[in-house]
Amino acid sequence: MAKKNELAVLDTFKLATPFDGLTAEEIEEMQDELKYLDEGSGIECRTVKMPSGGALAFEITDEDDEVEYVKELQGVVVFTHAVNAYWANSLGDGKNQPPTCSSMDGKTGINTETGECVDCDTCLLNKFRIDEKGVKKKACKNMRRLYLILDGDPNFYRLTAPPTSIKDVNDFLKRITMKPPQQIGTVVSVKLEKKSNDNGVEYAKIVMKKVGALSPQAKSMASEMRKQIAAKFHELAITQAEYNAPQQNPIDVTVDDEDVFPAPADATPPAPEFEEAPPLPDDGQAPFA
């Protein structure tokens, strides 16, 4: 029996692999066939997409491009990292184009056209501005990728928390990381709730809660899965589909007044001055942003 404020161990939560249910001969045959295929890059995972407007169901696309609508995800966040993206062109134009500048750790941005680097902390595109209507906005979109494993499912799932959810998601992940069973050993529930900004525009916001704890054996397996993603997460490029929130602007966020400055007369963010930056650390451990 779990103590007060201690998560109950969910012995029924099963971490699955592609080999589950196969005989030794079938596994050997599969491995033999795989070695003759071209090795893929990046991480194979299913995309969990945020809905448009105030809808309250995630959109999950499988390997056959079939879409399933799910109101709740229960699983383990095996890896997470910040991402920033800036599109020089307007969003919502129907083109799934890559961002003009993007960052895979929320700290160093890379110009996708020139390969030059910029410090996200000092970049003017990553500062809040007050537009001509008095609304606080920033040109750069700050997001967080969550890689989840679900009960009895061998697939990785990737959910990207948009700017309207990132503060609450960051706070939740920090809380569960600071004490046992920590992030890698905690089963969480991920749902959506309807919110609206000051202009009455509705949007969906991510809500996360603790459900239980993994068994020691399952936690060990989750740690190994984390290493797989940590080694390759930087290979998954950012696309416009990841930021599916043009209806959510103006961004409804809480910011300190000193972090906001008036927009210039033409309300156009200045272009960043790029400079060479040191390479990202190769340990795969992306910090919280």
Side-chain angles (χ1 to χ4, degrees), residues 189-225:
S189 166
V190 187
K191 293 184 178 180
L192 296 168
E193 67 178 10
K194 186 176 293 186
K195 294 286 186 178
S196 60
N197 60 27
D198 292 340
N199 288 352
V201 178
E202 293 183 339
Y203 62 91
K205 185 176 183 179
I206 294 174
V207 178
M208 301 182 71
K209 294 182 179 179
K210 295 181 289 187
V211 175
L214 291 179
S215 66
Q217 181 181 7
K219 184 177 179 180
S220 178
M221 290 180 62
S223 296
E224 289 302 315
M225 293 177 177

Side-chain angles (χ1 to χ4, degrees), residues 13 73-78 148-151 183 186-190 209 211-212 214:
F13 191 95
L73 301 169
Q74 276 200 15
V76 177
V77 180
V78 292
L148 298 107
I149 46 176
L150 309 182
D151 186 11
Q183 174 191 305
T186 304
V187 181
V188 300
S189 166
V190 187
K209 294 182 179 179
V211 175
L214 291 179

Side-chain angles (χ1 to χ4, degrees), residues 4 23 37 79 90 143 149 201-202 229 261:
K4 186 177 181 181
T23 66
L37 298 177
F79 191 73
S90 62
M143 301 169 282
I149 46 176
V201 178
E202 293 183 339
I229 297 181
F261 55 95

Side-chain angles (χ1 to χ4, degrees), residues 84-231:
N84 293 341
Y86 164 70
W87 284 270
N89 299 322
S90 62
L91 293 169
D93 60 4
K95 296 180 180 179
N96 192 21
Q97 57 188 346
T100 308
C101 181
S102 63
S103 170
M104 296 303 291
D105 65 354
K107 296 186 179 298
T108 302
I110 300 176
N111 185 312
T112 54
E113 296 178 353
T114 66
E116 294 175 300
C117 299
V118 65
D119 183 352
C120 294
D121 289 338
T122 60
C123 179
L124 293 180
L125 295 173
N126 198 31
K127 300 292 183 182
F128 281 99
R129 294 177 175 275
I130 299 177
D131 68 10
E132 65 279 2
K133 297 181 180 180
V135 177
K136 298 174 183 177
K137 293 183 179 180
K138 65 163 61 178
C140 186
K141 312 304 179 185
N142 302 147
M143 301 169 282
R144 175 164 289 280
R145 280 177 169 174
L146 308 175
Y147 297 88
L148 298 107
I149 46 176
L150 309 182
D151 186 11
D153 192 327
N155 299 290
F156 288 123
Y157 289 81
R158 189 188 74 215
L159 168 64
T160 301
T164 45
S165 296
I166 193 169
K167 182 181 184 301
D168 288 346
V169 169
N170 281 347
D171 289 345
F172 174 81
L173 292 174
K174 287 177 182 177
R175 288 198 304 272
I176 67 172
T177 299
M178 295 302 293
K179 61 181 181 179
Q182 300 175 307
Q183 174 191 305
I184 199 65
T186 304
V187 181
V188 300
S189 166
V190 187
K191 293 184 178 180
L192 296 168
E193 67 178 10
K194 186 176 293 186
K195 294 286 186 178
S196 60
N197 60 27
D198 292 340
N199 288 352
V201 178
E202 293 183 339
Y203 62 91
K205 185 176 183 179
I206 294 174
V207 178
M208 301 182 71
K209 294 182 179 179
K210 295 181 289 187
V211 175
L214 291 179
S215 66
Q217 181 181 7
K219 184 177 179 180
S220 178
M221 290 180 62
S223 296
E224 289 302 315
M225 293 177 177
R226 172 186 172 84
K227 293 176 183 177
Q228 295 178 33
I229 297 181

Side-chain angles (χ1 to χ4, degrees), residues 1-9 179-181 210:
M1 181 177 179
K3 299 178 182 179
K4 186 177 181 181
N5 298 325
E6 181 179 335
L7 287 176
V9 175
K179 61 181 181 179
K210 295 181 289 187

